[in-house]
Amino acid sequence: MTTVDSTKSSSVLATLNSSSRSTSSTTTSEDIQNRFLTLLVAQLENQDPLNPLDNTEVTNQLAQMSTVQGIEQLNTTLNSLVSSLADTQAVQASALISKTVLVPGSHLTLSDGDAYGGVNLASAADTVTVKIYDSSGNLVQTQSLGKADAGNLLFSWDGSTSSGTTAADGSYTFKVTATKGSSSVTAEALQLGTVSALTRTTNGNFVLDLGSLGQYDFDDVQQVF
């Protein structure tokens, strides 16, 4: 029958209690490591000579402690990088105030005989067509932009209509279609707007205020002019 040395057990418990009292309410990996090493030393000092601690087990425990410390250091580094990225994004976002940006949307503003819009093509197209509508939904002009590569494509409209008249300044909308051979190509309408203000959301992202066009995420911006 195996007997337990009460003196040695009391010594280990005393060491644990002392270590526990010295640990702050917020436990870090360093605190855990210190407590572990304290316990390990106490175990080594009070081990049964006839049944010593297994070297492999001790080595595995030390390796686990090293892993815990490494993970905490990695988390600290990642948090620092995230904070740095947020600060960089804040500087970039603030620089957009009063700038003209290209964002998803089909709004077209005709002013002094000029209007500008954009198209994002998922792949190259043989033919890109823009149809412009007035506020009542009536088709006023159809423009062929010809062949284009994948990516963003800008276009302008001088206000001329299909009937040969000149459209009044104001708000219009447009639709885009694109084809390559007999197949359609995914085409997204892009609109131009001026950034009047920006706000930071609770999750750390930035929202750009484009006035009458509404609000857009910082990541929605395709180009800046």
Side-chain angles (χ1 to χ4, degrees):
M1 181 176 67
T2 302
T3 59
V4 179
D5 189 328
S6 59
T7 302
K8 293 180 178 179
S9 298
S10 299
S11 177
V12 173
L13 289 174
T15 302
L16 280 174
N17 291 333
S18 175
S19 175
S20 177
R21 286 193 297 270
S22 64
T23 303
S24 62
S25 58
T26 303
T27 303
T28 66
S29 65
E30 184 177 359
D31 295 328
I32 296 173
Q33 187 176 40
N34 289 337
R35 293 175 64 185
F36 169 76
L37 291 176
T38 300
L39 174 59
L40 181 60
V41 170
Q43 287 177 320
L44 290 173
E45 290 178 343
N46 296 278
Q47 65 180 317
D48 184 354
L50 299 179
N51 185 27
L53 292 176
D54 187 347
N55 290 336
T56 301
E57 182 180 354
V58 173
T59 301
N60 288 337
Q61 290 177 348
L62 288 173
Q64 290 173 359
M65 288 306 306
S66 179
T67 300
V68 170
Q69 186 178 31
I71 291 175
E72 178 163 313
Q73 290 174 346
L74 178 60
N75 287 337
T76 300
T77 300
L78 288 176
N79 288 333
S80 177
L81 289 175
V82 169
S83 178
S84 178
L85 180 61
D87 292 339
T88 299
Q89 191 178 49
V91 173
Q92 293 176 335
S94 62
L96 292 179
I97 295 178
S98 298
K99 296 285 187 179
T100 299
V101 294
L102 191 65
V103 296
S106 58
H107 182 76
L108 202 61
T109 300
L110 182 64
S111 178
D112 296 328
D114 288 308
Y116 301 92
V119 181
N120 179 266
L121 298 175
S123 59
D126 295 329
T127 303
V128 180
T129 303
V130 175
K131 292 186 176 182
I132 301 171
Y133 301 84
D134 62 20
S135 57
S136 299
N138 300 312
L139 178 64
V140 297
Q141 180 61 282
T142 299
Q143 287 189 194
S144 176
L145 305 182
K147 181 182 296 186
D149 295 328
N152 292 341
L153 171 67
L154 296 177
F155 70 88
S156 62
W157 176 45
D158 61 4
S160 61
T161 68
S162 299
S163 61
T165 61
T166 300
D169 286 353
S171 296
Y172 295 82
T173 59
F174 67 97
K175 295 180 180 180
V176 183
T177 57
T179 58
K180 185 174 180 61
S182 59
S183 302
S184 62
V185 174
T186 301
E188 180 184 22
L190 301 175
Q191 60 190 4
L192 289 169
T194 300
V195 180
S196 59
L198 64 90
T199 57
R200 191 168 190 171
T201 61
T202 54
N203 60 8
N205 294 328
F206 287 92
V207 174
L208 307 178
D209 187 347
L210 303 187
S212 61
L213 297 184
Q215 294 185 330
Y216 289 82
D217 290 337
F218 182 76
D219 293 336
D220 290 331
V221 177
Q222 302 283 322
Q223 284 183 251
V224 181
F225 303 93

